[in-house]
Amino acid sequence: MNAESDERQGAVAPATTDVATGDDTQGKEPVFGSRAPQFIQRSRTLHLSWQVGVFIVGLAVVVAGIIMLPLPGPGWLVIFGGMAIWATEFVWAQLVLRWTKRKVTEAAQRALDPKVRKRNLILTTIGLVICAAAISVYVWKFGIVMPWKIKE
C-alpha cells in the first residue's frame, strides 16, 4: 500500500550502475537526508554544528552566484553549486535540486524538438531582418558620423 508521501516523491530513479564499485542501484529509492559521516551523526551537537557549517558554506556560494549574475562569471552554475552543497545535508535542497534537474532536462528535450528549432530559427531571422531594416533607415536618414568628427 502506498502512502501519500510515496505518490508525491514520483517514480523510482532509473537503473544505474556505479562504475567505481559496480553496484547496481536498480529499484532503489533516492536517499534523502544527511550525508554526514556516521561519527558526526551520532552526536547531536556535532551534527547540528555540521549542518550550520554546511548551511553557511552553501549560503556563501549561493550569494557569490547571485553577485555573479550581473557581473562577469558563471552565476547560475555557482548558484546550482551552492544548492548542491546544501543538498548534501538538507532534504528541502535535495528536492529543489532534483526538481531543477528535471526541468532543465525537459527544457533541453524541448529545445531539440525539430518544430521548436524551426520556429526559433524563423523568429531569429525575422528579428535580424527587422534590426537590419531599422539600422538601414537610421543610416539613410542621419548618415554615419565618426565620434571624432562630431561638431560641438
Side-chain angles (χ1 to χ4, degrees), residues 14-126:
T16 59
T17 303
D18 187 4
V19 177
T21 62
D23 292 338
D24 188 20
T25 59
Q26 181 178 4
K28 292 184 182 178
E29 290 288 327
V31 178
F32 290 116
S34 176
R35 293 190 182 118
Q38 287 296 327
F39 74 93
I40 291 176
Q41 289 184 6
R42 282 191 288 252
S43 171
R44 176 142 173 81
T45 307
L46 191 57
H47 192 236
L48 186 60
S49 301
W50 177 271
Q51 285 182 328
V52 168
V54 167
F55 183 79
I56 290 172
V57 170
L59 183 64
V61 172
V62 168
V63 167
I66 291 172
I67 291 171
M68 284 185 213
L69 286 176
L71 299 175
W76 285 111
L77 186 65
V78 174
I79 290 172
F80 292 136
M83 288 298 298
I85 291 171
W86 279 338
T88 62
E89 196 59 34
F90 303 107
V91 174
W92 61 267
Q94 292 169 358
L95 294 173
V96 168
L97 200 58
R98 187 172 73 170
W99 177 83
T100 304
K101 286 179 184 178
R102 187 176 66 240
K103 290 299 181 183
V104 167
T105 303
E106 289 172 5
Q109 290 298 323
R110 280 195 309 269
L112 294 175
D113 182 26
K115 290 180 182 178
V116 173
R117 290 183 71 189
K118 184 177 180 181
R119 181 200 64 202
N120 289 345
L121 187 62
I122 291 171
L123 289 175
T124 301
T125 304
I126 291 171

